[in-house]
């Protein structure tokens, strides 16, 4: 079993000014003693995109709400952009630094028109109506919302357009940290592509709670795996999400892009081509018996998963998971083994 | 199509129409209520509101007035003889006049309100209420009440559809009443949860109870004020006419 670690990055190695989120030993219980978070600790650096993945009821939304100060609690220490959300005085300044996009855009949109909804945040931050209007127009343009619809009631928009407006509402506030709760929900594939493109262009730090692991692969560099309120793993996104056993143990699946390639690689290497790797049990440890998993993943209370570096078909010396996104020629496979 | 009522400065319009509605509420006689209704209908006509919009909302108000018109003639009486006598039931003209007065007052106030809402953008209306001195908390209650009414309406449609696709038909049986009760309960719970989430989202965007309008206030011109005063005077004259001519005579 790997040693427990506090986040994938050692907080002591990062200057305090570079950290936008510091969470230490955070726990949360709802009334009725339903435990939502248990001793969660991690940090997020400025300009870092971090995914928060986990099954339903893992505590992802609770964690985001604790970070915004919306959900009060006492156990644990949180610092977000230098503010303590538990302190009522400091919490008043949090909206200047933190923007949250809620899971359901209907919860976020309430103004009579799209433009007024997007300008709501800047007005509350103290901008003049003219400045707020300019910010709102710019934010709506950034998310690709047509200007001719600025006066429409937000509730009459489609799900994708509502999501755009919700994003624009936060974008207009220009926060240093984005908290996004299931940002891909309600979006069709095109809307999802546009969302990914937008998120990749935003330079600010982002903490994205989602089940959409493909989106995570596209946007995030680091993943936190939560389950039953506990932080299970923290590491580079491609390594956490390629760990099939780890994900399966916590109600997730390897994303199609990673899993598909691993399956294909397994089919090719283990049975058909003759580039037979050692059996999986042996592959998980190196010759000297050390754990072969990436040292960048920190796991807590989870047995090591059999992350097998499988040879690439075209470059047998290179592990399959490290390959780029070049398509695999499935026609070269035997018919009965095609995925 | 925009009429001159659309161009009326929102604060003056709110003050004029709400003041007129308040004055109409104090009318007693059905003649005066009929004249007030005619005045409100004239304003609604001048404002070029959609007939469908007016009829849709006015019919709801009319439904609310029907019980008064139906019940009061059988229960209120004065010195005049009854028009119809069916054993213990007697139909009196005084009750009918009172019921008509209630219905016409309701319709007149409804038409004035429709004229106000139909000719003023919602955000301008809220800003006008705030600039007239309504506290921010009350302005937000008005703003969100409208929003939640729409949301709850949609939620109710979803619940109804969910009930119907599972074969539920509202019938006057215990099964029907029980499940309608469940649906209403679910609607209230969903509404409360949504209200909490909306409030959380507002606080995340820096909301601290203030009401800040995005649209700058329109200048209040002399003719806006004069129109406001004129409407008040008309309603005042109507009330005085009712008191002095009808009651005094």
């Amino acid at each position: 079993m790997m040693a427990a670690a506090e986040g994938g990055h050692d907080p002591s190695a990062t200057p305090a000014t570079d950290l936008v989120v510091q969470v230490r030993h955070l726990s949360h219980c709802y009334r009725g003693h339903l435990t939502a978070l248990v001793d969660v600790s991690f940090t997020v650096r400025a300009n870092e995109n971090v995914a928060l993945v986990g099954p339903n009821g893992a505590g992802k939304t609770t964690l985001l709400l604790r970070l915004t100060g919306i959900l009060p609690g006492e156990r644990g220490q949180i610092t977000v952009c230098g503010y303590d959300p538990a302190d009522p005085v400091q919490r008043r300044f949090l909206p200047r630094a933190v923007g949250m996009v809620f899971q359901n855009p209907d919860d976020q949109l309430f103004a009579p028109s799209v433009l007024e909804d997007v300008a709501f945040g800047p007005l509350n931050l103290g901008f003049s109506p003219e400045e707020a209007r300019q910010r709102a127009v710019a934010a709506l343009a950034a998310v690709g919302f047509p200007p001719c619809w600025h006066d429409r009631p937000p509730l009459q928009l489609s799900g994708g357009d509502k999501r755009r407006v919700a994003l624009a509402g936060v974008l207009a506030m220009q926060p240093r940290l984005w908290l996004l709760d299931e940002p891909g929900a309600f979006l069709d594939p095109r809307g999802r592509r546009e969302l990914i493109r937008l998120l990749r262009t935003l330079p600010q730090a982002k903490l994205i709670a989602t089940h959409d692991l493909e989106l995570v692969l596209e946007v995030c560099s680091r993943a936190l795996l939560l389950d039953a309120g506990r932080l299970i793993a923290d590491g580079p996104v491609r390594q956490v999400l390629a760990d099939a056993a780890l994900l399966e143990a916590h109600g997730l699946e390897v994303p199609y892009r990673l899993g598909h390639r691993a399956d294909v690689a397994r089919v090719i290497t283990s049975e058909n081509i003759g580039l037979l790797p050692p059996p999986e049990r042996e592959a998980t440890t190196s010759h000297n018996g050390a754990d072969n998993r990436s040292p960048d993943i920190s796991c807590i209370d989870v047995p090591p998963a059999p992350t097998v570096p499988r040879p690439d078909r075209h470059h047998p010396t290179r592990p399959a998971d490290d390959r780029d996104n070049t398509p695999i020629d499935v026609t070269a496979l035997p018919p009965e083994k095609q995925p | 199509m925009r009429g001159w009522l659309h161009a009326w400065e929102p604060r003056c319009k709110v003050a004029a129409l709400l003041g007129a509605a308040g004055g109409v509420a104090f009318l007693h006689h059905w003649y005066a209520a009929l004249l007030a209704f005619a005045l409100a209908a004239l304003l609604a006509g001048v404002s070029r509101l959609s007939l469908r919009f007016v009829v849709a909302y006015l019919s709801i108000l009319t439904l609310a007035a029907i019980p008064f018109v139906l019940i009061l003639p059988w229960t209120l009486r004065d010195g005049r003889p009854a028009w119809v006598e069916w054993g213990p039931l007697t139909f009196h003209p005084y009750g009918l006049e009172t019921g008509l007065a209630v219905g016409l007052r309701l319709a007149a106030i409804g038409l004035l309100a429709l004229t106000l809402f139909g000719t003023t953008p919602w955000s301008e209306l809220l800003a006008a209420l705030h600039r007239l001195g309504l506290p921010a908390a009350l302005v937000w209650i008005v703003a969100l009440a409208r929003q939640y009414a729409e949301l709850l309406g949609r939620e109710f449609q979803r619940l109804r559809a969910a009930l119907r696709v599972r074969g539920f038909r509202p019938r006057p049986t215990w099964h029907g009443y029980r499940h309608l009760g469940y649906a209403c309960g679910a609607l209230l719970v969903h509404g409360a949860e949504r209200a909490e989430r909306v409030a959380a989202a507002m606080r995340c965007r820096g909301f601290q109870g203030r009401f800040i309008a995005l649209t700058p206030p329109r200048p209040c011109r002399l003719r806006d004020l004069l129109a406001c005063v004129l409407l008040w005077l008309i309603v005042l004259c109507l009330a005085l006419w009712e008191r002095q001519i009808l009651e005094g005579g």
Side-chain angles (χ1 to χ4, degrees):
Chain A
M1 184 175 290
M2 303 189 78
E6 193 172 286
H9 306 274
D10 180 8
S12 61
T14 310
T17 51
D18 192 32
L19 296 175
V20 287
V21 177
Q22 283 180 287
V23 176
R24 287 183 188 150
H25 308 296
L26 178 67
S27 297
H28 188 84
C29 272
Y30 284 104
R31 267 179 283 173
H33 307 291
L34 174 66
T35 304
L37 294 172
V38 183
D39 198 22
V40 173
S41 299
F42 68 94
T43 59
V44 177
R45 289 174 299 178
N47 309 330
E48 190 179 22
N49 294 341
V50 179
L52 196 56
V53 296
N56 285 334
K60 302 186 293 291
T61 302
T62 303
L63 178 56
L64 295 187
L65 292 176
R66 283 296 302 267
L67 292 179
T68 57
I70 293 297
L71 209 55
E74 292 172 355
R75 281 184 280 174
Q77 189 183 358
I78 308 175
T79 308
V80 181
C81 299
Y83 301 113
D84 178 5
D87 181 353
V89 177
Q90 294 188 39
R91 192 164 56 220
R92 293 164 65 95
F93 298 102
L94 264 181
R96 296 176 186 280
V98 183
M100 176 151 176
V101 179
F102 283 72
Q103 183 172 2
N104 185 350
D106 278 341
D107 297 341
Q108 202 172 324
L109 308 177
F110 64 93
S113 73
V114 166
L115 191 67
E116 284 169 283
D117 204 288
V118 177
F120 176 74
L123 284 173
N124 284 323
L125 294 186
F127 291 96
S128 69
E130 192 49 44
E131 285 172 314
R133 181 182 290 272
Q134 285 171 4
R135 277 184 170 228
V137 169
L140 285 166
V143 298
F145 194 83
C148 56
W149 285 3
H150 283 187
D151 290 330
R152 290 188 69 171
L155 292 179
Q156 291 178 7
L157 301 174
S158 68
D161 287 332
K162 283 181 189 173
R163 174 62 73 194
R164 279 198 194 92
V165 175
L167 282 165
V170 177
L171 186 62
M173 298 171 71
Q174 297 178 0
R176 285 169 58 200
L177 170 68
W178 284 68
L179 305 174
L180 299 113
D181 194 357
E182 291 291 353
F186 304 101
L187 291 180
D188 59 9
R190 187 193 296 167
R192 194 173 153 280
R193 293 299 322 163
E194 288 170 2
L195 169 74
I196 290 171
R197 200 175 302 129
L198 174 70
L199 291 179
R200 291 174 77 157
T201 57
L202 295 172
Q204 295 92 353
K206 291 178 264 312
L207 187 55
I208 304 175
T210 183
H211 292 126
D212 186 348
L213 302 186
E214 301 286 345
L215 181 143
V216 168
L217 279 174
E218 296 260 7
V219 177
C220 300
S221 59
R222 190 175 140 217
L224 307 175
L225 173 57
L226 272 182
D227 192 8
R230 295 175 187 277
L231 184 60
I232 304 295
D234 179 353
V237 71
R238 285 192 168 265
Q239 292 182 19
V240 172
L241 298 190
D243 197 332
L246 177 69
L247 295 184
E248 200 170 317
H250 297 287
L252 299 175
E253 290 179 346
V254 175
Y256 178 77
R257 196 186 307 166
L258 298 179
H260 177 65
R261 287 173 166 279
D263 290 346
V264 172
R266 189 182 299 122
V267 168
I268 296 166
T269 58
S270 62
E271 293 178 33
N272 302 308
I273 298 185
L275 300 171
L276 198 63
E280 285 198 349
R281 184 183 299 277
E282 293 172 24
T284 54
T285 56
S286 62
H287 293 296
N288 58 8
D291 198 323
N292 215 8
R293 189 166 24 184
S294 166
D296 292 331
I297 304 180
S298 307
C299 278
I300 304 162
D301 296 331
V302 178
T307 310
V308 186
R310 298 183 179 93
D312 189 316
R313 180 168 159 255
H314 302 292
H315 304 278
T317 56
R318 193 172 63 176
D321 291 342
D322 287 345
R323 289 174 303 179
D324 56 13
N325 292 336
T326 50
I328 294 169
D329 183 12
V330 291
T331 56
L333 298 174
E336 70 278 9
K337 295 293 183 186
Q338 283 188 11
Chain B
M1 195 183 289
R2 294 168 67 85
W4 64 268
L5 270 165
H6 289 85
W8 201 353
E9 199 274 327
R11 276 175 301 176
C12 292
K13 185 164 36 175
V14 169
L17 293 181
L18 290 186
V24 170
F26 284 100
L27 299 177
H28 294 285
H29 203 279
W30 74 277
Y31 287 158
L34 183 63
L35 281 175
F37 177 73
L39 174 68
L42 180 70
L43 278 175
V46 167
S47 64
R48 298 178 188 173
L49 291 178
S50 150
L51 190 64
R52 185 177 292 179
F53 168 80
V54 173
V55 169
Y57 284 95
L58 203 58
S59 57
I60 298 171
L61 287 171
T62 312
L63 279 177
I66 283 176
F68 294 99
V69 181
L70 291 181
I71 294 171
L72 290 182
W74 305 93
T75 53
L76 285 184
R77 64 193 65 186
D78 57 359
R80 285 178 284 174
W83 282 359
V84 179
E85 287 187 27
W86 288 337
L89 293 176
T90 49
F91 189 94
H92 290 272
Y94 177 69
L96 180 65
E97 288 168 6
T98 309
L100 277 177
V102 170
L104 287 168
R105 279 203 308 258
L106 200 59
I109 291 170
L111 265 180
L112 288 170
L114 286 178
T115 306
L116 175 62
F117 293 132
T119 58
T120 318
W122 184 242
S123 49
E124 283 191 20
L125 185 63
L126 295 174
L129 288 171
H130 187 52
R131 286 175 190 134
L132 283 171
L134 197 68
L138 287 178
V139 178
W140 278 116
I141 287 173
V142 173
L144 293 175
R146 185 209 188 202
Q147 199 74 2
Y148 286 139
E150 195 172 333
L151 279 173
L152 286 177
R154 290 180 184 203
E155 190 72 37
F156 177 71
Q157 295 299 335
R158 274 198 292 272
L159 277 172
R160 201 176 127 198
L163 286 170
R164 289 181 75 88
V165 295
R166 287 187 284 168
F168 177 79
R169 295 288 178 273
R171 293 191 182 95
T173 61
W174 282 118
H175 173 79
Y177 292 136
R178 190 169 65 240
H179 285 88
L180 277 178
Y182 291 159
C184 291
L187 191 66
L188 291 174
V189 171
H190 292 178
E193 287 176 347
R194 183 178 287 273
E196 283 180 9
R197 291 196 298 268
V198 169
M202 290 171 75
R203 288 205 299 275
C204 276
R205 291 204 277 165
F207 176 68
Q208 289 169 7
R210 289 179 302 161
F211 181 86
I212 310 164
L214 182 64
T215 47
R218 280 193 232 166
C220 186
R221 299 159 298 185
L222 182 62
R223 63 180 178 188
D224 295 322
L225 280 171
L226 285 178
C228 175
V229 172
L230 180 66
L231 191 62
W232 283 349
L233 280 177
I234 291 172
V235 175
L236 185 66
C237 289
L238 204 57
L240 290 175
W241 172 72
E242 182 195 58
R243 288 285 164 90
Q244 292 180 359
I245 307 296
L246 291 175
E247 291 188 357

